[in-house]
mmCIF file of all heavy atoms in Angstrom:
data_model
loop_
_atom_site.group_PDB
_atom_site.id
_atom_site.type_symbol
_atom_site.label_atom_id
_atom_site.label_comp_id
_atom_site.label_asym_id
_atom_site.label_seq_id
_atom_site.Cartn_x
_atom_site.Cartn_y
_atom_site.Cartn_z
ATOM 1 N N TYR B 481 35.302 84.030 125.984
ATOM 2 C CA TYR B 481 35.019 83.909 127.469
ATOM 3 C C TYR B 481 34.618 82.460 127.781
ATOM 4 O O TYR B 481 34.988 81.940 128.811
ATOM 5 C CB TYR B 481 34.019 84.969 127.907
ATOM 6 C CG TYR B 481 33.542 84.689 129.326
ATOM 7 C CD1 TYR B 481 34.369 85.001 130.381
ATOM 8 C CD2 TYR B 481 32.304 84.140 129.596
ATOM 9 C CE1 TYR B 481 33.950 84.717 131.676
ATOM 10 C CE2 TYR B 481 31.880 83.859 130.826
ATOM 11 C CZ TYR B 481 32.707 84.157 131.887
ATOM 12 O OH TYR B 481 32.275 83.914 133.181
ATOM 13 N N LEU B 482 33.751 81.891 126.901
ATOM 14 C CA LEU B 482 33.207 80.551 127.213
ATOM 15 C C LEU B 482 34.206 79.498 126.768
ATOM 16 O O LEU B 482 33.835 78.312 126.876
ATOM 17 C CB LEU B 482 31.895 80.358 126.515
ATOM 18 C CG LEU B 482 30.728 81.220 127.014
ATOM 19 C CD1 LEU B 482 29.512 81.096 126.114
ATOM 20 C CD2 LEU B 482 30.398 80.896 128.420
ATOM 21 N N GLY B 483 35.391 79.867 126.283
ATOM 22 C CA GLY B 483 36.368 78.875 126.005
ATOM 23 C C GLY B 483 36.454 78.427 124.563
ATOM 24 O O GLY B 483 37.044 77.430 124.260
ATOM 25 N N PHE B 484 35.829 79.185 123.649
ATOM 26 C CA PHE B 484 35.990 78.843 122.263
ATOM 27 C C PHE B 484 37.124 79.603 121.632
ATOM 28 O O PHE B 484 37.538 80.672 122.046
ATOM 29 C CB PHE B 484 34.672 79.276 121.515
ATOM 30 C CG PHE B 484 33.542 78.364 121.818
ATOM 31 C CD1 PHE B 484 32.681 78.710 122.889
ATOM 32 C CD2 PHE B 484 33.325 77.201 121.128
ATOM 33 C CE1 PHE B 484 31.596 77.803 123.201
ATOM 34 C CE2 PHE B 484 32.280 76.341 121.458
ATOM 35 C CZ PHE B 484 31.396 76.682 122.528
ATOM 36 N N GLU B 485 37.543 79.055 120.495
ATOM 37 C CA GLU B 485 38.674 79.669 119.791
ATOM 38 C C GLU B 485 38.152 80.979 119.202
ATOM 39 O O GLU B 485 36.973 81.031 118.755
ATOM 40 C CB GLU B 485 39.116 78.699 118.698
ATOM 41 C CG GLU B 485 40.548 78.867 118.239
ATOM 42 C CD GLU B 485 40.845 77.835 117.158
ATOM 43 O OE1 GLU B 485 40.520 76.628 117.437
ATOM 44 O OE2 GLU B 485 41.291 78.254 116.154
ATOM 45 N N SER B 486 38.973 81.915 119.069
ATOM 46 C CA SER B 486 38.589 83.253 118.536
ATOM 47 C C SER B 486 38.369 83.185 117.086
ATOM 48 O O SER B 486 39.094 82.502 116.359
ATOM 49 C CB SER B 486 39.583 84.344 118.895
ATOM 50 O OG SER B 486 39.219 85.492 118.330
ATOM 51 N N LEU B 487 37.285 83.866 116.556
ATOM 52 C CA LEU B 487 37.098 84.003 115.149
ATOM 53 C C LEU B 487 37.961 85.043 114.594
ATOM 54 O O LEU B 487 38.212 86.072 115.276
ATOM 55 C CB LEU B 487 35.623 84.307 114.861
ATOM 56 C CG LEU B 487 34.592 83.206 114.949
ATOM 57 C CD1 LEU B 487 33.223 83.877 114.701
ATOM 58 C CD2 LEU B 487 34.856 82.191 113.876
ATOM 59 N N ASN B 488 38.285 84.955 113.340
ATOM 60 C CA ASN B 488 39.070 86.032 112.733
ATOM 61 C C ASN B 488 38.118 87.024 112.109
ATOM 62 O O ASN B 488 37.752 86.950 110.931
ATOM 63 C CB ASN B 488 39.932 85.367 111.665
ATOM 64 C CG ASN B 488 40.900 86.374 111.049
ATOM 65 O OD1 ASN B 488 40.971 87.493 111.530
ATOM 66 N ND2 ASN B 488 41.592 85.998 110.024
ATOM 67 N N VAL B 489 37.613 87.941 112.905
ATOM 68 C CA VAL B 489 36.562 88.801 112.478
ATOM 69 C C VAL B 489 37.152 90.117 111.874
ATOM 70 O O VAL B 489 38.001 90.763 112.493
ATOM 71 C CB VAL B 489 35.681 89.262 113.676
ATOM 72 C CG1 VAL B 489 34.619 90.247 113.199
ATOM 73 C CG2 VAL B 489 35.067 88.033 114.262
ATOM 74 N N SER B 490 36.728 90.477 110.678
ATOM 75 C CA SER B 490 37.036 91.785 110.207
ATOM 76 C C SER B 490 35.760 92.596 110.128
ATOM 77 O O SER B 490 34.677 92.016 110.241
ATOM 78 C CB SER B 490 37.650 91.715 108.759
ATOM 79 O OG SER B 490 36.643 91.480 107.858
ATOM 80 N N ILE B 491 35.885 93.843 109.902
ATOM 81 C CA ILE B 491 34.663 94.637 110.017
ATOM 82 C C ILE B 491 33.691 94.372 108.927
ATOM 83 O O ILE B 491 32.448 94.523 109.078
ATOM 84 C CB ILE B 491 35.006 96.153 110.021
ATOM 85 C CG1 ILE B 491 33.845 96.973 110.531
ATOM 86 C CG2 ILE B 491 35.510 96.619 108.629
ATOM 87 C CD1 ILE B 491 34.158 98.338 111.084
ATOM 88 N N TRP B 492 34.073 93.806 107.811
ATOM 89 C CA TRP B 492 33.155 93.517 106.700
ATOM 90 C C TRP B 492 32.536 92.149 106.752
ATOM 91 O O TRP B 492 31.594 91.821 106.069
ATOM 92 C CB TRP B 492 33.901 93.610 105.340
ATOM 93 C CG TRP B 492 34.734 94.808 105.145
ATOM 94 C CD1 TRP B 492 36.051 94.810 104.988
ATOM 95 C CD2 TRP B 492 34.388 96.143 105.224
ATOM 96 N NE1 TRP B 492 36.535 96.063 104.843
ATOM 97 C CE2 TRP B 492 35.519 96.948 105.075
ATOM 98 C CE3 TRP B 492 33.085 96.808 105.406
ATOM 99 C CZ2 TRP B 492 35.482 98.309 105.010
ATOM 100 C CZ3 TRP B 492 33.101 98.204 105.377
ATOM 101 C CH2 TRP B 492 34.276 98.951 105.177
ATOM 102 N N GLY B 493 33.091 91.246 107.631
ATOM 103 C CA GLY B 493 32.539 89.944 107.608
ATOM 104 C C GLY B 493 33.523 88.995 108.136
ATOM 105 O O GLY B 493 34.354 89.315 108.921
ATOM 106 N N ILE B 494 33.517 87.754 107.609
ATOM 107 C CA ILE B 494 34.365 86.714 108.153
ATOM 108 C C ILE B 494 35.222 86.082 107.093
ATOM 109 O O ILE B 494 34.684 85.369 106.261
ATOM 110 C CB ILE B 494 33.523 85.657 108.866
ATOM 111 C CG1 ILE B 494 32.797 86.306 110.063
ATOM 112 C CG2 ILE B 494 34.408 84.500 109.364
ATOM 113 C CD1 ILE B 494 31.794 85.389 110.600
ATOM 114 N N PRO B 495 36.475 86.351 107.039
ATOM 115 C CA PRO B 495 37.318 85.619 106.103
ATOM 116 C C PRO B 495 37.749 84.279 106.712
ATOM 117 O O PRO B 495 37.994 84.204 107.892
ATOM 118 C CB PRO B 495 38.501 86.510 105.941
ATOM 119 C CG PRO B 495 38.591 87.298 107.151
ATOM 120 C CD PRO B 495 37.242 87.292 107.820
ATOM 121 N N SER B 496 37.727 83.239 105.969
ATOM 122 C CA SER B 496 38.211 81.947 106.466
ATOM 123 C C SER B 496 38.570 81.049 105.283
ATOM 124 O O SER B 496 38.320 81.318 104.164
ATOM 125 C CB SER B 496 37.190 81.246 107.363
ATOM 126 O OG SER B 496 36.209 80.691 106.566
ATOM 127 N N GLU B 497 39.190 79.915 105.609
ATOM 128 C CA GLU B 497 39.714 79.062 104.606
ATOM 129 C C GLU B 497 38.561 78.342 103.838
ATOM 130 O O GLU B 497 38.677 78.101 102.664
ATOM 131 C CB GLU B 497 40.593 77.928 105.185
ATOM 132 C CG GLU B 497 41.617 78.420 106.152
ATOM 133 C CD GLU B 497 40.991 78.636 107.545
ATOM 134 O OE1 GLU B 497 40.296 77.717 108.051
ATOM 135 O OE2 GLU B 497 41.190 79.757 108.144
ATOM 136 N N THR B 498 37.488 78.065 104.560
ATOM 137 C CA THR B 498 36.457 77.215 103.922
ATOM 138 C C THR B 498 35.306 77.947 103.315
ATOM 139 O O THR B 498 34.324 77.383 103.004
ATOM 140 C CB THR B 498 35.889 76.233 105.007
ATOM 141 O OG1 THR B 498 35.726 76.973 106.171
ATOM 142 C CG2 THR B 498 36.808 75.096 105.191
ATOM 143 N N GLY B 499 35.388 79.236 103.157
ATOM 144 C CA GLY B 499 34.262 79.977 102.536
ATOM 145 C C GLY B 499 34.136 81.300 103.263
ATOM 146 O O GLY B 499 34.007 81.367 104.466
ATOM 147 N N THR B 500 34.284 82.360 102.492
ATOM 148 C CA THR B 500 34.288 83.706 103.037
ATOM 149 C C THR B 500 32.938 84.302 102.923
ATOM 150 O O THR B 500 32.175 84.012 102.064
ATOM 151 C CB THR B 500 35.301 84.497 102.209
ATOM 152 O OG1 THR B 500 36.426 83.722 101.893
ATOM 153 C CG2 THR B 500 35.722 85.708 103.004
ATOM 154 N N LEU B 501 32.619 85.158 103.869
ATOM 155 C CA LEU B 501 31.440 85.989 103.733
ATOM 156 C C LEU B 501 31.917 87.446 103.720
ATOM 157 O O LEU B 501 32.508 87.913 104.607
ATOM 158 C CB LEU B 501 30.513 85.754 104.928
ATOM 159 C CG LEU B 501 29.281 86.619 104.916
ATOM 160 C CD1 LEU B 501 28.465 86.246 103.742
ATOM 161 C CD2 LEU B 501 28.542 86.411 106.171
ATOM 162 N N ASN B 502 31.660 88.041 102.569
ATOM 163 C CA ASN B 502 32.014 89.416 102.477
ATOM 164 C C ASN B 502 30.772 90.201 102.115
ATOM 165 O O ASN B 502 30.323 90.261 100.958
ATOM 166 C CB ASN B 502 33.149 89.645 101.444
ATOM 167 C CG ASN B 502 33.694 91.072 101.539
ATOM 168 O OD1 ASN B 502 32.923 91.942 101.920
ATOM 169 N ND2 ASN B 502 34.899 91.198 101.180
ATOM 170 N N VAL B 503 30.161 90.852 103.124
ATOM 171 C CA VAL B 503 28.936 91.512 102.959
ATOM 172 C C VAL B 503 29.059 92.760 102.153
ATOM 173 O O VAL B 503 28.149 93.140 101.375
ATOM 174 C CB VAL B 503 28.234 91.810 104.311
ATOM 175 C CG1 VAL B 503 26.836 92.221 104.114
ATOM 176 C CG2 VAL B 503 28.325 90.587 105.168
ATOM 177 N N VAL B 504 30.209 93.392 102.201
ATOM 178 C CA VAL B 504 30.384 94.666 101.505
ATOM 179 C C VAL B 504 30.415 94.447 99.958
ATOM 180 O O VAL B 504 29.858 95.241 99.227
ATOM 181 C CB VAL B 504 31.597 95.428 102.009
ATOM 182 C CG1 VAL B 504 31.980 96.513 101.075
ATOM 183 C CG2 VAL B 504 31.261 96.022 103.376
#
Side-chain angles (χ1 to χ4, degrees):
Chain B
Y481 168 76
L482 293 173
F484 289 91
E485 209 178 306
S486 176
L487 281 175
N488 185 9
V489 178
S490 78
I491 195 158
W492 314 119
I494 297 168
S496 79
E497 314 78 51
T498 41
T500 321
L501 178 64
N502 190 331
V503 191
V504 165

